[in-house]
Amino acid sequence: MARAMYEYTKTVLKKVSFSSDLFCKELEKALERLLPHEIKELTIWVKEFTVNKPDLSACLAIIRE
């Protein structure tokens, strides 16, 4: 079940990546729902996903809080 939430979170983040505000809000929600090891995986995924998207890379600060 938890793994499904991680995959669902990635799907949602991909779909809202057109807006940095939405991306950040969904990322905040994900950090509340996911397990600690999944947050680590998501952090790696977000870093890779935002490499060519500088407007979304500002959301990385949310993960470090």
Side-chain angles (χ1 to χ4, degrees):
M1 177 70 171
R3 192 69 188 169
M5 184 58 72
Y6 171 73
E7 293 299 328
Y8 173 75
T9 299
K10 287 188 348 183
T11 301
V12 170
L13 289 173
K14 288 176 188 175
K15 288 184 179 183
V16 299
S17 63
F18 65 91
S19 167
S20 62
D21 290 336
L22 285 175
F23 190 85
C24 290
K25 286 180 185 178
E26 289 299 329
L27 188 56
E28 286 174 354
K29 288 182 195 177
L31 295 176
E32 294 172 6
R33 291 189 300 242
L34 296 176
L35 299 172
H37 70 277
E38 292 174 322
I39 292 173
K40 289 179 185 177
E41 286 183 49
L42 186 67
T43 301
I44 294 167
W45 180 84
V46 168
K47 286 179 182 177
E48 291 174 1
F49 184 74
T50 60
V51 166
N52 296 324
K53 300 171 181 72
D55 53 324
L56 298 180
S57 62
C59 298
L60 288 173
I62 294 170
I63 296 174
R64 295 186 187 113
E65 292 179 356

